[in-house]
Amino acid sequence: MESNALVNGVLSFIIPGLGQAINGYKKKGIIMFAILILLNIFIYFFANNQFGHIISIAYSAYAAYDAYVTY
């Protein structure tokens, strides 16, 4: 299935790693999704405040940018 870079970026913003997997970097996508899970666990227990949410959004934005650039 042929997708464009913008769609992969948006998908990776929603679920980090999904855009990378669609681009053909399945291992990188799995690693980015695992980092998302670990990051959310850390935020839940140690930084459950506005700062933690900013970190989560920043990571999602990085994943979206990476999926967009690696298309």
Side-chain angles (χ1 to χ4, degrees):
M1 180 175 90
E2 190 71 27
S3 287
N4 61 18
L6 184 61
V7 171
N8 293 343
V10 170
L11 289 174
S12 197
F13 183 79
I14 295 169
I15 301 173
L18 183 59
Q20 287 79 2
I22 292 173
N23 284 339
Y25 300 100
K26 294 189 188 320
K27 188 175 182 180
K28 185 176 187 179
I30 292 169
I31 291 170
M32 292 190 82
F33 186 72
I35 290 171
L36 171 72
I37 299 297
L38 294 174
L39 183 64
N40 282 331
I41 290 170
F42 174 80
I43 288 171
Y44 180 78
F45 286 111
F46 299 110
N48 197 2
N49 53 27
Q50 292 175 343
F51 180 68
H53 296 292
I54 290 171
I55 292 172
S56 181
I57 291 171
Y59 180 70
S60 293
Y62 166 73
Y65 172 75
D66 184 61
Y68 181 79
V69 171
T70 59
Y71 174 69

